[in-house]
Each structure stands twice: as structure tokens, then as C-alpha cells.
Amino acid sequence: MGVKDIHNVYFIGIGGIGMSALARYFKFIGKNVAGYDKTETPLTLDLVDLGIQVHYDDDLQLVSKEYLDPDNTLVVYTPAVPKDHGEYNYFMAHGFQVKKRSEVLGLITRDTFCFAVAGTHGKTTTSCILAHLLKETGTPITAFLGGISEDFNSNFLLEGSEYSVVEADEFDRSFLQLSPNVACITSMDADHLDIYGNSEELQRSFRDFVKRIKPNGKLFVRNGLALEGTTYGIEDDSDYCIRNIRIDQGTYIFDLDSPEANLKSVRFNKPGRHNLLNGLVAYAMAIQAGSSPSSLAGALATFKGVQRRFSYQIKNPDFVFVDDYAHHPTEIDAAFQAVSEMHPGKNILAIFQPHLFSRTRDFVDEFARSLSNFPSLLLLDIYPAREKPIEGVNSQWLLDKITSPTKKLIEKSELISEILAQKPDVLITLGAGDIGLEVPKIKKELNFVQKRH
């Protein structure tokens, strides 16, 4: 069954950030789209607004009849769906074509010039920057993004079908379904050890991904990774290199040296050296579509950002509130570097919600070290996502290892009162769980308090 032969597409786990982008794509090209998800979220409500049917109970009676015909229905599922899921098992047992999200992504992008962004950190921001650069320089692209781009206010962009931008997700080895023309690898830090077992197996999977690049394709790698490719870095011997960084009112200004051009006083507005690297490799990849270096540098300066990726919620002279998706020790380190560099000498309060029992168990000492950089820390309970509890693995265990001068384990219901009691100059929320749903409430309350004073 090719894309042209599909009439109906049914999603199990339609509310996931990657799944919802695919749902949008199929709706945009005229297919009937519906799906199930466990909970109602802003993403699922956006899909309903597009005319997509979504329900929240695992109940085949809620699936419209047209999606129960195996001859013209494609079923797409996320690996996060449990194998005892009723709808999933029905479709598997009754002759439907059932594919993982990554397989469908591979199918859609097969006949395009595909840009794939891989790495344990930075995929979403890099792919959003790349999509922005290509759109601004008139490249006909379709982009499937793992976050909500603040430039498009969406996780999906359809500006043509000649080129595609995708995140190459290492979870469950999903990226081995792709065959990109141009790829990058931002990082290979140990993660998803519940899937891979050890860091060596994870790195082997990235090397297998490199083999998926099409003949005469191109690979960009962050300088220092144990891979052969065109390198990018900061103040080093990379093929694409940022030099002479300075900061002016929260904006990075730097020189960009590359094989194509040496550019002076390039501007980029997202804080953090990790985001500079994300912007640099997006620029290097976009060059491969034929855009001019100067036009791409101009587009770098207009990139707004990605929701929950060092996203400023409040930015006043006397108070700053930043929200970030960081859920791995390396990402927490990057967030601390960024907030410290942009707001030096300020009293910083961090709120962190650990994500997954297994990740907390596997990296508890690394989490403790990273979080101890913050002078004040509020810790929430572990967000389980797809997992069941692991005995002895809890937030109190992590808290006991953290050495921050001020640290506290609290409930989500206590967040606002604790923030008001501590009166920080800078507040940063961190985590990949449902802490993101608390951010609008915190922002609303803190804005109200500031207006009163």
C-alpha cells in the first residue's frame, strides 16, 4: 500500500508530538484521519479543530466504521503503546497494514531529498531551525518536527514536497527506517538504556544509521564524536566553525567560518552554546539545498525558537521565567550554562520533574551532579510515562544525592506558593513530563503578582 492508495489513516497514540505531525500531514493531503490517545491535551484539541476524530478510551466501538476496512486503512502506532492495547491487537489480528510512526515517515520521505537530524540531544531545535532556514530561503519542503516551532506555531510545515526535514529518533532504533540524503548527528550520550542495555549498543545503532545515508549523501557530526563526517564546532578546527562570540542584549553575535564563506557578525537569539551548535549544523545542512550563505545567515537571526526549548515565558528587568524540556543530565548542564551566561549573578531557582524511573535509576549520580549546579532546587515526583515504578527509585532518593544549598521535594499543587516564598530573580522549569502543563498556570499567577506590585 503506497501513500496514494491510502484512504483512511488511523493513529494509536495520535497525541504524541511526532504522531500528531503525521496526522496533520495526512489530513493536509486529503486523507480521512482519526485516532486514539490516552489523555486529552492541547495537541489533541488542535487536531480536533482540524476536523480529526479523537477519542480517549481504548474501545473499538468508538472507532468509526470506515476505519475498520483493512483494504483501505493504514494503522499507525507509537512504540509507547502497550502491547496489550485492545485496539492495537484488533488491527494486528484482522489483516490491517499496521506500521510504526518511523516506518510511515520513511515511506513518505523516500522520494524526497531528505534531511535527517539525529542525536540524543538537540534534534527538535536543530530540525526546527533547519525548517525555518529552508522556508525563509524559498525551499519547497515538508517538515515533521518533534516540537512546536514558534516560527510556524506548529510541529508540521508543508511548503512543497521536493525536500523533507525529519527528526531521526534513536528511541526503539526508529531512525533505521530512514534513508536520508543529508544527515547530522549532534550527540551520542548514553540514553534509552532500557532499550539498548549499554552505551556501546546505542553508539552501534548510530553507526548503523550512518550506513542508511544514500550514496553520495553527506553526514555532519559535532566535532569530537567518534564518527567520520564533516565536522562543526565552536572555536576549534571544525569544517564549520563559530568564532569570536560576544553577547549583546541577550543575542549572540559571532563569525561563521565554512568552506563556502566566512561570515562576520552573524546574529542568533537562542541562549546557550548548545543552541549555537544546533544553529550552526542547521546552517551547514541548509547549504546543501543550494541557498546562499548570506541569506541563511540572515534567516538564522530571525529564528524565534521552539516551545519548551529554553523558552522565555516572562522576561522583565527584575524577573525572568524560562521553560525547558531538559530531561537528561547533559541537557540540564546545557540549560544551566545558558541561564547562567545570559543572567549572570542572579538568584536562580530551578524546578525539575524527573522523566522515567529507568532513566532516573540509570543516571541518578549524573542527575545529582547536574542539578547541584543550581543554588535552589524544587524537585517533583518522577513522571512515569510508559513505565511502572521500580522499587527504591524515587525523587527522594535523587534529592538525597543533590548538594544544592536549598533543595526540597514538593507536590505540583505547592509550586506557585513555593516560588512566591523563595522570590527568585530567575525561575527555570525543567523536564519532559507533564510539568509543561503547569507552565501556563505558573506564568499566569506570576504575571498577576507582578502587576499587583
Side-chain angles (χ1 to χ4, degrees):
M1 184 187 292
V3 172
K4 291 179 182 176
D5 305 315
I6 299 166
H7 297 292
N8 309 312
V9 189
Y10 186 80
F11 288 84
I12 304 175
I14 196 168
I17 192 73
M19 291 280 278
S20 63
L22 272 180
R24 287 172 182 272
Y25 167 78
F26 281 113
K27 184 68 176 177
F28 272 56
I29 64 171
K31 309 299 181 182
N32 298 321
V33 180
Y36 156 87
D37 207 90
K38 186 167 60 173
T39 53
E40 181 180 276
T41 66
L43 278 175
T44 62
L45 292 174
D46 286 346
L47 295 177
V48 171
D49 287 343
L50 290 175
I52 295 173
Q53 301 171 27
V54 182
H55 64 267
Y56 304 97
D57 292 313
D58 178 12
D59 182 355
L60 209 64
Q61 299 294 321
L62 300 175
V63 181
S64 296
K65 286 184 179 178
E66 65 260 40
Y67 299 98
L68 299 178
D69 181 354
D71 292 332
N72 57 21
T73 299
L74 171 66
V75 178
V76 187
Y77 73 98
T78 170
V81 169
K83 291 298 180 278
D84 61 354
H85 191 273
E87 292 180 13
Y88 169 81
N89 281 291
Y90 173 86
F91 289 121
M92 289 294 288
H94 287 81
F96 285 80
Q97 186 163 210
V98 182
K99 291 185 178 293
K100 287 184 183 179
R101 179 184 68 89
S102 55
E103 293 179 89
V104 177
L105 210 49
L107 183 72
I108 293 169
T109 60
R110 186 179 301 155
D111 297 325
T112 69
F113 187 99
C114 179
F115 294 95
V117 178
T120 45
H121 321 295
K123 289 187 295 292
T124 296
T125 300
T126 302
S127 57
C128 285
I129 299 170
L130 177 56
H132 171 72
L133 298 183
L134 293 172
K135 178 181 184 294
E136 290 299 296
T137 51
T139 307
I141 64 160
T142 301
F144 300 90
L145 306 171
I148 304 298
S149 164
E150 292 176 356
D151 292 274
F152 320 133
N153 196 31
S154 179
N155 57 346
F156 173 67
L157 178 68
L158 182 57
E159 295 279 316
S161 57
E162 189 176 339
Y163 294 84
S164 60
V165 174
V166 298
E167 290 188 31
D169 189 1
E170 75 280 0
F171 175 75
D172 201 38
R173 297 177 174 83
S174 291
F175 57 1
L176 300 183
Q177 301 290 337
L178 300 171
S179 298
N181 299 82
V182 176
C184 78
I185 296 178
T186 65
S187 49
M188 296 192 300
D189 293 319
D191 199 5
H192 305 303
L193 297 187
D194 55 324
I195 301 292
Y196 288 99
N198 56 58
S199 59
E200 290 77 18
E201 191 62 30
L202 173 73
Q203 292 182 17
R204 184 177 295 115
S205 187
F206 274 99
R207 289 193 290 273
D208 290 341
F209 168 69
V210 171
K211 295 173 186 173
R212 301 283 305 171
I213 298 173
K214 289 177 182 174
N216 302 315
K218 191 148 190 167
L219 173 67
F220 293 91
V221 297
R222 182 172 58 77
N223 201 358
L225 294 182
L227 293 166
E228 291 292 324
T230 301
T231 56
Y232 67 98
I234 296 174
E235 299 287 2
D236 55 20
D237 59 352
S238 299
D239 300 307
Y240 288 77
C241 190
I242 285 175
R243 304 187 192 280
N244 304 320
I245 301 169
R246 58 194 187 278
I247 299 172
D248 179 24
Q249 296 182 335
T251 294
Y252 284 120
I253 303 172
F254 54 89
D255 299 335
L256 197 165
D257 294 345
S258 71
E260 295 82 17
N262 296 321
L263 303 170
K264 302 293 184 184
S265 299
V266 179
R267 303 178 73 89
F268 189 66
N269 293 312
K270 291 306 294 178
R273 299 295 172 108
H274 63 299
N275 279 322
L276 277 178
L277 288 167
N278 294 336
L280 176 60
V281 72
Y283 165 91
M285 295 175 79
I287 287 280
Q288 309 309 306
S291 299
S292 74
S294 59
S295 62
L296 289 172
L300 268 179
T302 62
F303 175 69
K304 292 178 182 176
V306 187
Q307 286 182 17
R308 302 222 61 229
R309 268 60 174 192
F310 209 91
S311 178
Y312 280 101
Q313 303 298 308
I314 300 173
K315 194 175 184 182
N316 296 330
D318 56 347
F319 179 72
V320 168
F321 174 22
V322 176
D323 179 43
D324 194 85
Y325 193 69
H327 57 286
H328 184 281
T330 302
E331 295 166 350
I332 294 169
D333 287 341
F336 177 75
Q337 184 275 323
V339 76
S340 302
E341 183 177 54
M342 289 298 170
H343 307 285
K346 298 293 187 180
N347 175 27
I348 301 170
L349 169 63
I351 301 170
F352 178 58
Q353 181 188 48
H355 185 263
L356 300 180
F357 294 104
S358 61
R359 184 181 282 123
T360 305
R361 176 199 62 200
D362 293 340
F363 301 106
V364 66
D365 291 329
E366 292 87 347
F367 274 122
R369 177 194 52 77
S370 296
L371 292 167
S372 295
N373 286 320
F374 293 98
S376 299
L377 176 72
L378 299 176
L379 192 63
L380 295 171
D381 285 331
I382 296 171
Y383 183 78
R386 58 187 178 271
E387 293 185 337
K388 290 186 167 48
I390 298 173
E391 187 176 353
V393 178
N394 53 55
S395 288
Q396 184 63 53
W397 178 50
L398 172 57
L399 188 75
D400 290 343
K401 292 175 174 284
I402 293 168
T403 60
S404 300
T406 303
K407 61 178 185 177
K408 193 173 184 180
L409 179 62
I410 66 168
E411 301 290 330
K412 280 183 284 191
S413 60
E414 302 173 276
L415 277 173
I416 291 171
S417 61
E418 191 64 38
I419 294 165
L420 294 175
Q422 293 206 25
K423 299 179 181 176
D425 302 321
V426 178
L427 172 68
I428 182 166
T429 45
L430 303 164
D434 60 3
I435 188 173
L437 299 178
E438 301 301 312
V439 170
K441 304 174 195 174
I442 296 170
K443 179 179 178 180
K444 181 179 179 181
E445 182 64 27
L446 296 183
N447 270 327
F448 174 71
V449 169
Q450 285 201 311
K451 283 177 184 174
R452 271 195 325 195
H453 292 85

